[in-house]
Amino acid sequence: MRRTELTDAAIATLAREGLRGLTHRAVDRAAGLPEGSCSYYFRTRHALLAATVQRLADLDADELAPVTPVPARITAEHLAALMAGMAERSATVNRDRMVARYELSIEATRRPELREALVAVGERYRVLAADLLAAAGAKDPQRQGRALVAFLDGMIFDRIAGAGAMPLDAEGFRESFTEALHGILER
């Protein structure tokens, strides 16, 4: 329970202050715990980062529960609605988690051990996307699943970072995913 409290506080700290602001003391403050609590459970910064990645993975597993196990058949419209819902939640109620993930992803370009952990977590999404596309009748679900996850990530990043000229709402996400899935499945 205390580890979960601390890793949730680490996610919030990453989202609010970035990687430079992520210290054991900052996590203690964010969790409302006595100084030294975080370093007691996570002796090193690497241990804290690894535990935070694992916590994000656990939260992702909860998020993916509605589509696991994958149904034998799924329509493009149903899959688009699922993905749009995931994108909308990621950009709104789960925004801190996504910002923390982006912070960790950039750091992972310099830290191979962190990259390894993030790639393993991301592989869950890629496998699930391939399975869902196979259920929808895709011709090359492994390759197309990787592209679909990249599209999903890009849509979420665009919404969070505000890079797009038109902010997407739930309906905009659904339309974009429907178009992308029809393009994938009609090849």
Side-chain angles (χ1 to χ4, degrees):
M1 170 112 157
R2 186 60 48 106
R3 287 176 180 274
T4 300
E5 235 181 308
L6 288 164
T7 51
D8 286 347
I11 291 167
T13 301
L14 280 167
R16 187 179 57 254
E17 299 177 33
L19 206 57
R20 286 188 176 177
L22 184 71
T23 64
H24 285 89
R25 284 183 179 166
V27 172
D28 287 337
R29 282 191 302 274
L33 295 173
E35 193 173 297
S37 297
C38 186
S39 61
Y40 174 79
Y41 287 96
F42 309 108
R43 294 277 181 213
T44 64
R45 182 175 174 82
H46 173 70
L48 176 59
L49 292 173
T52 302
V53 168
Q54 183 56 54
R55 177 65 177 149
L56 287 167
D58 294 344
L59 292 166
D60 287 347
D62 293 343
E63 188 73 22
L64 297 175
V67 291
T68 53
V70 172
R73 295 289 309 149
I74 190 167
T75 66
E77 289 73 21
H78 184 90
L79 183 51
L82 288 171
M83 294 189 74
M86 180 182 291
E88 179 66 15
R89 284 187 306 281
S90 293
T92 57
V93 294
N94 297 332
R95 184 181 186 283
D96 281 0
R97 286 177 14 201
M98 291 308 299
V99 172
R101 181 174 283 112
Y102 296 144
E103 289 283 340
L104 291 166
S105 295
I106 295 299
E107 181 66 12
T109 64
R110 296 178 287 277
R111 298 179 85 160
E113 71 282 359
L114 187 56
R115 179 171 173 72
E116 189 177 304
L118 283 168
V119 167
V121 169
E123 192 59 24
R124 289 183 195 175
Y125 281 106
R126 291 174 192 82
V127 168
L128 179 60
D131 291 347
L132 286 165
L133 285 175
K139 304 275 189 264
D140 186 358
Q142 268 63 44
R143 182 184 59 75
Q144 293 166 323
R146 290 185 177 286
L148 188 59
V149 169
F151 182 72
L152 172 67
D153 283 342
M155 296 289 285
I156 296 166
F157 183 82
D158 189 67
R159 171 81 182 273
I160 289 174
M166 294 175 32
L168 290 173
D169 58 9
E171 183 60 22
F173 276 131
R174 192 194 57 71
E175 287 176 11
S176 295
F177 286 114
T178 299
E179 291 166 356
L181 286 165
H182 279 292
I184 289 171
L185 297 172
E186 292 173 9
R187 280 188 85 208

